Amino acid sequence: MAFVVTENCIKCKFTDCVDVCPVDCFHEGPNFLVIDPDECIDCTLCEPECPANAIFAEDEVPEEQENFIALNAELSKIWPIITNVQDALPDADEWNGKTGKLELLEK
Ligand code: SF4
Ligand code: F3S
């Protein structure tokens, strides 16, 4: 199993999660982060750090967001690793909690 970043990260990208990951499994795209499921050791540390509550254990991902499990696996093979906290995206607080953000994902 692995942890999974889901829709509410899109257009927020707070990056608090990367600071606690002991195995550097976060990968960064333009407006979203993903977790490499082959590297994640299920330590659970990142889940409570996300201000957008976007991180779930794979078996707890909400049903309507299960497509993000494959998306994390796919994009983590393409995007570079991120290990340092950065500023959140502009307007992250306004986007936090909005639905329908998948169509705004930049790859
Ligand atoms: Fe990293 Fe642990 Fe989160 Fe997996 S559960 S992404 S190992 S911090
Ligand atoms: Fe995204 Fe939350 Fe990390 S918004 S960048 S999963 S802290």
Side-chain angles (χ1 to χ4, degrees):
M1 207 182 66
F3 278 64
V4 177
V5 184
T6 61
E7 184 171 35
N8 203 30
C9 175
I10 297 170
K11 291 191 76 72
C12 291
K13 207 164 89 166
F14 287 106
T15 75
D16 302 66
C17 53
V18 305
D19 206 27
V20 296
C21 182
V23 289
D24 296 345
C25 45
F26 284 91
H27 293 247
E28 183 185 21
N31 66 359
F32 185 51
L33 255 57
V34 292
I35 291 169
D36 184 342
D38 295 332
E39 297 295 330
C40 177
I41 56 170
D42 293 337
C43 74
T44 78
L45 291 176
C46 58
E47 184 181 358
E49 294 300 317
C50 176
N53 296 316
I55 302 175
F56 294 87
E58 188 176 325
D59 61 358
E60 292 175 357
V61 172
E63 199 178 335
E64 70 279 5
Q65 298 206 45
E66 284 178 350
N67 51 334
F68 279 85
I69 298 171
L71 205 52
N72 275 243
E74 174 197 334
L75 296 174
S76 63
K77 302 301 177 222
I78 301 169
W79 286 348
I81 289 174
I82 171 174
T83 55
N84 293 319
V85 174
Q86 303 174 1
D87 290 340
L89 290 176
D91 304 325
D93 288 334
E94 278 114 274
W95 283 102
N96 188 359
K98 289 222 164 78
T99 55
K101 292 198 277 182
L102 178 56
E103 61 188 38
L104 302 172
L105 174 65
E106 297 171 32
K107 292 189 183 175

